[in-house]
Amino acid sequence: MKKKQLIIISIIILVIVGVFISFKLFLDFNNETKIKNEINEIKRVAEANNDDIHEILDRRVVKSGPYSEVEVGIKLYYKNLYSSLDNLNFLLDDDNFSNYLSSKNLNDDKPSFIKSKNNLKNSKAQIEEYYSKFTDELTNDSIKLNIISDKELKNYYLNFYLDLTKIGIADNVNETIEKAYKSTLEKIDIYNETFDFLAANKGHWEIQNEAIAFDDPVIYDEYINITNKLNSSKESEPEVKEVSES
């Protein structure tokens, strides 16, 4: 009789444990799904250039427990990442370089273009700094994990968190930013080359009627060959005359 009772009690305990485990697995799955949906929504909204991304980053769908720590961490991660991306995109914007070859800047900063070259140097340093910061945040697991406030969080949750850091931003963003980064640094080098060329040939050009005019066709051709390497808009560059009218 006692043996039968023990068997029944054991079965009841196993059923209770099974129900508890099943319920916990259900809650875990539900929490993971909620957080994944949030991160996918962040990606979708960000790709649409919608400011609502900040609303998603600030709200919470898991109220307590380890998944709450994961949600807080992952949303802080994407808040930092998108902030770095915004800063980098601002620095890489062509508009930042649109006035370097304007007739006004050429006239104001000649003959050595010290101010323009210093500005280019500072821009390059900032771009390199923010590019390094962004790529580190995007790829470095140690930097990602430092955001998690609970250092005792189990590996399962940390690995889930790391998986989430790979799905909330466009798949090709790293390649796109790298291409823009290299292009901008190349552009800065060309601007510096242009200023060096104009400084070396300061006696052969001047600004006339908002156009740069040259008195030597060979120098004119060299200038055109250099500036043709730039991708900046034609509106930002002064009109060029082959021969000075003076």
Side-chain angles (χ1 to χ4, degrees):
M1 186 67 177
K2 288 184 179 180
K3 185 177 181 181
K4 186 176 181 180
Q5 287 177 335
L6 287 174
I7 292 174
I8 294 173
I9 292 172
S10 298
I11 291 174
I12 292 173
I13 292 173
L14 288 174
V15 169
I16 293 173
V17 170
V19 170
F20 174 79
I21 292 174
S22 298
F23 182 69
K24 186 179 185 304
L25 290 174
F26 169 78
L27 288 180
D28 287 350
F29 177 78
N30 189 46
N31 285 331
E32 289 186 8
T33 301
K34 284 180 179 179
I35 298 174
K36 283 181 180 178
N37 288 343
E38 288 286 281
I39 305 308
N40 286 327
E41 183 69 3
I42 288 170
K43 179 181 179 180
R44 185 192 67 78
V45 171
E47 288 178 338
N49 295 317
N50 193 320
D51 288 338
D52 287 346
I53 184 175
H54 299 291
E55 178 184 337
I56 305 170
L57 289 169
D58 290 336
R59 73 190 181 197
R60 298 291 176 261
V61 295
V62 180
K63 304 305 180 184
S64 61
Y67 284 103
S68 175
E69 290 287 340
V70 171
E71 183 187 9
V72 170
I74 194 61
K75 288 186 173 178
L76 179 56
Y77 167 74
Y78 279 113
K79 180 177 286 189
N80 294 342
L81 186 67
Y82 275 106
S83 176
S84 296
L85 180 59
D86 286 344
N87 290 332
L88 185 55
N89 278 327
F90 174 79
L91 293 172
L92 296 175
D93 195 325
D94 282 345
D95 287 346
N96 295 322
F97 306 92
S98 62
N99 291 321
Y100 276 111
L101 295 186
S102 67
S103 58
K104 184 179 187 309
N105 188 64
L106 293 180
N107 199 47
D108 290 347
D109 204 21
K110 66 181 183 183
S112 300
F113 305 101
I114 294 174
K115 180 179 178 181
S116 296
K117 295 186 75 173
N118 280 335
N119 287 341
L120 287 170
K121 180 181 178 180
N122 292 335
S123 292
K124 183 176 182 180
Q126 280 189 305
I127 289 169
E128 289 174 336
E129 176 187 350
Y130 277 90
Y131 178 74
S132 178
K133 183 176 185 293
F134 173 74
T135 54
D136 283 346
E137 289 175 342
L138 188 65
T139 60
N140 190 312
D141 284 352
S142 295
I143 291 176
K144 296 176 181 181
L145 290 172
N146 281 338
I147 294 176
I148 295 290
S149 60
D150 184 356
K151 304 306 179 185
E152 303 300 321
L153 208 59
K154 292 182 179 178
N155 284 338
Y156 176 84
Y157 301 105
L158 295 177
N159 289 331
F160 175 59
Y161 164 82
L162 289 175
D163 288 341
L164 293 173
T165 64
K166 302 171 184 176
I167 66 174
I169 198 164
D171 298 332
N172 63 340
V173 68
N174 201 10
E175 293 80 5
T176 301
I177 288 295
E178 182 182 13
K179 183 178 179 181
Y181 167 74
K182 290 180 177 179
S183 174
T184 302
L185 292 190
E186 181 180 3
K187 186 180 300 183
I188 289 173
D189 289 341
I190 296 170
Y191 277 117
N192 278 315
E193 181 184 359
T194 304
F195 291 134
D196 287 341
F197 176 82
L198 291 175
N201 294 279
K202 59 186 178 182
H204 296 284
W205 65 272
E206 61 182 3
I207 299 298
Q208 296 179 356
N209 299 320
E210 297 186 358
I212 184 170
F214 292 86
D215 63 6
D216 185 328
V218 175
I219 296 176
Y220 163 82
D221 287 340
E222 290 182 33
Y223 177 80
I224 292 299
N225 288 336
I226 295 172
T227 56
N228 276 346
K229 293 185 286 186
L230 292 167
N231 295 320
S232 53
S233 63
K234 296 297 180 181
E235 290 79 8
S236 67
E237 300 175 16
E239 180 186 348
V240 181
K241 296 179 182 180
E242 181 175 350
V243 180
S244 171
E245 297 174 359
S246 59

